[in-house]
Amino acid sequence: MLFRSALLSYTRIVSASITNELRLPYNRITIEFPNDASNPAGQTLPFITVQGYSGVGVDNRIPQGRIANNYGLQETLSIVHGTHYFRMGADLLQQRAVQAAPFNLRGTLNFSGSTIGGAFSSWANFLDNFGGSGGTAGRDFGSPKYYPNLFRHAYFFQDRW
């Protein structure tokens, strides 16, 4: 996980009773669960499970991750008028993100026991490359990447008297 942030702030005293503050925040959040690029089998090998044994291969939910860029604009105007102290402003946020969801790109093979033509264990079905009566094979097609974007806005007005 990696965080980067920056903030530009400008405060101006307009008069003895009016001040204005402008803030421009930015942050970037990077979360990655990469695949081991040095392992060529990990790039193509499906995740194999044999009923009753641990799975073999690279977890099919990786690689995944998210990069989110958040751009903000915050404006606050303060006015003193008699016994009143007014504050008003806005907070705007634009988030642009790229997300790689958990995606079964390399596929999964599940071997289970069967009783077709006699009783066969899940291990025997694995050796014969037969899924058994409850075996499955799965793979996702398409792209795991999507681009969620968000625009959030908030406004306020306050009178301290």
Side-chain angles (χ1 to χ4, degrees):
M1 195 175 304
L2 178 65
F3 295 96
R4 293 185 180 132
S5 60
L7 172 68
L8 293 173
S9 180
Y10 175 69
T11 303
R12 180 169 183 237
I13 300 172
V14 179
S15 69
S17 61
I18 300 174
T19 60
N20 188 44
E21 181 181 10
L22 173 67
R23 295 169 28 131
L24 300 170
Y26 167 79
N27 72 38
R28 180 183 180 112
I29 302 167
T30 304
I31 303 169
E32 291 182 307
F33 301 97
N35 198 350
D36 183 7
S38 66
N39 180 1
Q43 304 299 320
T44 58
L45 183 69
F47 188 72
I48 300 169
T49 57
V50 178
Q51 186 179 15
Y53 300 93
S54 298
V56 176
V58 177
D59 189 343
N60 62 342
R61 295 171 292 178
I62 59 174
Q64 63 173 297
R66 178 182 178 96
I67 298 173
N69 292 296
N70 299 304
Y71 305 92
L73 176 108
Q74 300 166 336
E75 174 78 23
T76 303
L77 179 66
S78 302
I79 302 171
V80 177
H81 183 71
T83 58
H84 294 272
Y85 176 58
F86 299 107
R87 284 179 52 100
M88 62 199 83
D91 183 359
L92 308 175
L93 172 75
Q94 172 72 45
Q95 182 181 79
R96 297 179 186 156
V98 176
Q99 182 148 340
F103 194 74
N104 189 4
L105 180 64
R106 293 176 307 278
T108 54
L109 298 173
N110 301 306
F111 295 91
S112 64
S114 64
T115 56
I116 298 171
F120 297 97
S121 70
S122 57
W123 181 249
N125 285 333
F126 168 70
L127 294 176
D128 286 339
N129 196 24
F130 175 67
S133 55
T136 60
R139 182 171 187 250
D140 292 339
F141 294 93
S143 174
K145 290 189 178 183
Y146 60 99
Y147 304 89
N149 288 317
L150 161 78
F151 179 70
R152 186 193 75 202
H153 51 98
Y155 307 94
F156 69 93
F157 177 81
Q158 176 184 6
D159 180 10
R160 287 175 131 184
W161 182 49

